[in-house]
Amino acid sequence: MLNPAHIAFAAVCGHDMLPVRRRPRVTVLLTGSEVVEDGIPEPGQVRDAFGPQLPTFVELLGGSVDQVRRVEDTARAMLAALTEAPSGMASVLDARCEVVITTGGTGHSRADHVRSALEELGAVFLIDGLAQRPGHPTFLARLPEGGPFVVGLPGNPLAAMSSMLTIAEPLLAKLHGTPAPVPRTLPAGEELPGQKVTALVPAHLADGAVHPRDKVGSAMLRGLAHADVVAVVPPAGVAAGADVEVLPLPWR
């Protein structure tokens, strides 16, 4: 990673240009007809949790966001968002972006349209669902002919942010040519109950031990907002005092 000292050193050595690997270009497509972007939502509405934070999250993970667009909850709108160019912009397929991140609509119901749009375009699903909670409807696909990767995030905010750590972070690191953060192992300060699949639990550190936060449902953000790490709890759970793997948070 070039820093100011590297650039100054290159300059005094007479280098006018340096070959570099740039940050991966990312397009963010936000779905949700019920989402409002300001104020307190009315009944039947939800406040946008992705628009204010996802571009910065991508930057923290090494990506560079070129476009952020909101897409209606219809198959036609999602297909158009991937193939048509808004005024003054290139289409996603022509914008030379390397990663597309979508939010919501990743399930298999008639109300979920991201998969059907990608299937119509001939995308290959490299990872179709994760054995983790929250975030199990997440997928990783790639559009044909060397097109961009597509990271499909669930609509619930904690689920989506958890999958950013498990799917988007290593993908962006690979594209950027940098190593992904390495998980570490710490003792559990208390029992961490297991679930049917691996659980990602926001946790805080006290006296070198891992303690789970509360308010960690897939739609809740309070626990993550006050977390130091995310504990990776296997289905069998972790006894108090036993080692548990933790994922670092890029803003800590």
Side-chain angles (χ1 to χ4, degrees):
M1 297 290 290
L2 285 180
N3 61 39
H6 294 147
I7 295 170
F9 180 58
V12 299
C13 291
H15 294 284
D16 298 320
M17 301 288 290
L18 295 175
V20 299
R21 178 177 289 181
R22 58 172 169 75
R23 286 170 170 254
R25 293 176 177 169
V26 179
T27 291
V28 177
L29 301 179
L30 307 172
T31 71
S33 300
E34 77 284 6
V35 174
V36 296
E37 298 180 347
D38 54 69
I40 297 175
E42 300 290 339
Q45 297 178 330
V46 294
R47 179 63 191 264
D48 177 22
F50 296 121
Q53 59 87 7
L54 199 51
T56 301
F57 200 169
V58 171
E59 295 281 343
L60 287 173
L61 299 182
S64 177
V65 176
D66 285 350
Q67 299 182 36
V68 179
R69 291 157 56 187
R70 186 162 294 284
V71 183
E72 292 182 3
D73 273 337
T74 67
R76 178 178 296 180
M78 177 54 66
L79 187 62
L82 292 167
T83 58
E84 298 178 8
S87 177
M89 294 183 179
S91 74
V92 168
L93 298 180
D94 295 330
R96 298 176 61 195
C97 73
E98 292 152 277
V99 179
V100 177
I101 296 178
T102 68
T103 62
T106 59
H108 295 273
S109 74
R110 293 183 178 180
D112 298 315
H113 305 293
V114 180
R115 291 173 182 272
S116 61
L118 292 173
E119 289 168 354
E120 187 168 342
L121 293 173
V124 176
F125 285 79
L126 306 172
I127 299 173
D128 196 355
L130 301 176
Q132 73 173 44
R133 291 186 184 275
H136 69 279
T138 303
F139 65 74
L140 174 65
R142 190 168 195 185
L143 289 165
E145 300 179 2
F149 292 94
V150 182
V151 178
L153 299 177
N156 282 326
L158 182 59
M161 296 184 76
S162 299
S163 294
M164 284 289 289
L165 297 175
T166 56
I167 295 295
E169 184 168 28
L171 173 64
L172 291 171
K174 182 67 175 179
L175 293 174
H176 198 203
T178 54
V182 178
R184 54 180 173 149
T185 301
L186 295 170
E190 56 192 271
E191 181 184 2
L192 302 174
Q195 301 185 30
K196 292 182 179 180
V197 295
T198 299
L200 301 183
V201 181
H204 69 282
L205 304 179
D207 298 324
V210 179
H211 299 265
R213 286 291 187 188
D214 59 0
K215 308 297 183 184
V216 293
S218 63
M220 299 179 179
L221 290 173
R222 185 185 301 181
L224 184 63
H226 296 92
D228 299 311
V229 295
V230 173
V232 182
V233 182
V238 178
D243 286 342
V244 61
E245 188 177 80
V246 296
L247 302 176
L249 293 171
W251 52 84
R252 298 293 294 179

